[in-house]
Amino acid sequence: MQNWRDNIRRVTPYTPGEQPAETDVVKLNTNENPYPPAPEVEEALREAACETGLLRRYPDPEAQELVEALASFYGMSPERIFVGVGSDDVLAMSFLTFFNGDRPLLFPDITYSFYEVWAGLFQIPFEKVPLDEGFHLRKEDYFRENGGIIFPNPNAPTGIEESLEDIEEILQHNPSSVVIIDEAYVDFGARSAAELIDRYDNLLVVQTFSKSRSMAGVRIGFAMGQPELIGALKAVKYSFNSYTMSRLTIKAGTAALKNRAYFRETAEKICQTRELAQKRLREFGFILEDSRTNFLFVTHPVWPARKLYEDLKREHIYVRFFPQPRIDNYLRITVGTDEEMSKLYDFLAGYKG
Ligand code: PMP
């Protein structure tokens, strides 16, 4: 007799960073933005809360208001934009839509660990391509047959940016695959591949409101690509769940896009704190590459990462440790406010290992 247990889809889920219940912590472990969202967001949510009918009715499945606001922000036509519930949702839908062949999907061995989880969930064959010694991507490794390519730029958790020229070469060698560039951290000083979309019908660029727009709790992500890719994504999304973005989410996201100056200033503040943090951490003996993100990926020649992570946690300073081959002596430290970073420096100044 068949057992229902044999039919369960077994997966190894993604492990997100800790969200400690205590509030009095220095939280540098999940790459959240330490500054509030644009003031327009709070205003829009207040207004929305008073609008009768807002909660009673289904939201617009196309989220047209938000799509149009994104289109005008990025100077792109709305047919080139797809929105979802955080970039995790957009990326999951993209895996389901575009990686549906027999050849392996390629992504770096050290990267966003959710890629492997989605590949497992959707039973997509994949190969992890090792980064070089310095954690740089070797473009030539992607000049071969494959069923799709995805990597973040800048990469996570390394913070390293690859040049747009290298990305373009990867695109040129892969006209038969969809190439996804996950730009979750692009707004902290990196160059977006969005400018290549006109020339490459197989390029999808994915971004999020979680980092540079301080809205991780609202859950908004989006993809930009030629209408054929966007149309395919929409068809899969509407075959799964049409009403994923709430009316409040659509309002909040649209409002955030109204204030370009605030967006730029907040990202700039984080970049300044990051530059200072790189200097300070090097003074403490840490080894790190220059980051183009809102986090730093560091290792220390004397202090083992796991122990430092635990010692920091005991002092209510949370950073991220990945018990994975090649990076299990590294810590990923999110760039917080100058005040939060000072608490980290104070701890390190007295640290004996
Ligand atoms: N891509 C990368 C590389 C990330 O680090 C993250 C954040 N965990 C995401 C995508 C997903 O972010 P969100 O779903 O909040 O947009």
Side-chain angles (χ1 to χ4, degrees):
M1 241 211 346
Q2 213 189 1
N3 187 321
W4 57 266
R5 288 180 186 86
D6 297 334
N7 293 333
I8 291 179
R9 191 181 298 275
R10 306 272 174 201
V11 287
T12 311
Y14 171 73
T15 321
E18 289 158 276
Q19 295 292 353
E22 325 139 75
T23 47
D24 190 21
V25 299
V26 179
K27 199 169 170 304
L28 307 176
N29 69 332
T30 49
N31 297 344
E32 287 143 337
N33 193 313
Y35 301 108
E40 283 81 355
V41 174
E42 193 181 323
E43 226 169 90
L45 287 174
R46 262 185 223 289
E47 258 173 46
C50 302
E51 230 178 272
T52 53
L54 195 94
L55 300 184
R56 191 172 59 80
R57 296 222 173 104
Y58 281 111
D60 168 15
E62 298 258 4
Q64 202 56 28
E65 194 185 348
L66 177 59
V67 167
E68 274 166 20
L70 277 165
S72 100
F73 191 94
Y74 288 102
M76 214 174 253
S77 79
E79 304 82 70
R80 293 181 174 230
I81 293 171
F82 173 84
V83 292
V85 185
S87 54
D88 280 342
D89 179 44
V90 174
L91 289 166
M93 284 297 136
S94 305
F95 270 57
L96 193 53
T97 308
F98 302 118
F99 302 146
N100 188 32
D102 303 326
R103 280 169 295 174
L105 167 66
L106 304 182
F107 52 83
D109 63 337
I110 297 164
T111 195
Y112 187 33
S113 48
F114 226 139
Y115 300 159
E116 188 168 349
V117 174
W118 288 314
L121 176 63
F122 301 134
Q123 299 177 357
I124 300 163
F126 68 92
E127 265 178 48
K128 294 199 259 184
V129 183
L131 295 174
D132 74 12
E133 294 282 286
F135 295 147
H136 271 275
L137 184 141
R138 274 184 297 240
K139 61 184 178 214
E140 299 79 14
D141 293 347
Y142 295 82
F143 300 171
R144 64 174 165 111
E145 257 207 333
N146 62 72
I149 292 173
I150 181 165
F151 55 87
N153 196 44
N155 196 8
T158 64
I160 294 176
E161 178 188 16
E162 302 301 343
S163 74
L164 214 51
E165 289 72 31
D166 283 4
I167 290 178
E168 185 156 14
E169 269 193 68
I170 290 174
L171 282 159
Q172 280 163 354
H173 280 83
N174 287 281
S176 321
S177 301
V178 171
V179 177
I180 302 182
I181 310 296
D182 175 355
E183 294 189 338
Y185 301 99
V186 77
D187 296 323
F188 302 105
R191 225 171 123 193
S192 173
E195 66 184 76
L196 301 177
I197 286 172
D198 275 344
R199 279 184 282 137
Y200 297 93
D201 59 5
N202 57 330
L203 168 64
L204 194 77
V205 175
V206 177
Q207 295 191 7
T208 177
F209 280 46
S210 297
K211 321 290 178 185
S212 53
R213 292 193 169 82
S214 312
M215 291 168 73
V218 184
R219 314 302 301 129
I220 302 174
F222 57 102
M224 297 178 277
Q226 289 199 12
E228 194 181 349
L229 288 187
I230 299 301
L233 261 174
K234 285 185 183 169
V236 169
K237 184 230 157 91
Y238 299 140
S239 310
F240 193 79
N241 181 356
S242 318
Y243 300 115
T244 53
M245 294 193 94
S246 78
R247 281 175 175 268
L248 292 172
T249 306
I250 294 169
K251 291 268 178 228
T254 307
L257 293 164
K258 291 193 176 132
N259 198 336
R260 200 184 283 264
Y262 182 89
F263 165 69
R264 288 224 183 100
E265 281 158 24
T266 315
E268 184 48 36
K269 265 203 283 194
I270 289 170
C271 292
Q272 279 172 13
T273 306
R274 176 187 70 205
E275 296 308 303
L276 183 66
Q278 289 184 167
K279 189 167 160 286
R280 292 299 308 269
L281 292 172
R282 285 182 181 128
E283 286 165 7
F284 284 114
F286 286 97
I287 297 163
L288 56 146
E289 289 272 331
D290 282 344
S291 164
R292 284 278 170 276
T293 62
N294 67 336
F295 57 84
L296 301 162
F297 195 55
V298 307
T299 186
H300 197 281
V302 180
W303 302 332
R306 185 192 285 271
K307 176 156 191 310
L308 179 55
Y309 156 78
E310 281 160 3
D311 291 342
L312 279 165
K313 193 164 152 181
R314 218 168 292 118
E315 293 301 311
H316 309 285
I317 300 174
Y318 284 74
V319 298
R320 191 89 191 258
F321 169 69
F322 301 92
Q324 271 172 42
R326 291 188 78 186
I327 59 169
D328 59 2
N329 200 26
Y330 284 79
L331 294 179
R332 191 195 68 188
I333 305 174
T334 303
V335 176
T337 59
D338 286 322
E339 200 190 346
E340 286 171 317
M341 299 312 279
S342 293
K343 290 187 182 158
L344 173 70
Y345 309 145
D346 289 349
F347 171 90
L348 294 171
Y351 192 59
K352 301 279 183 283

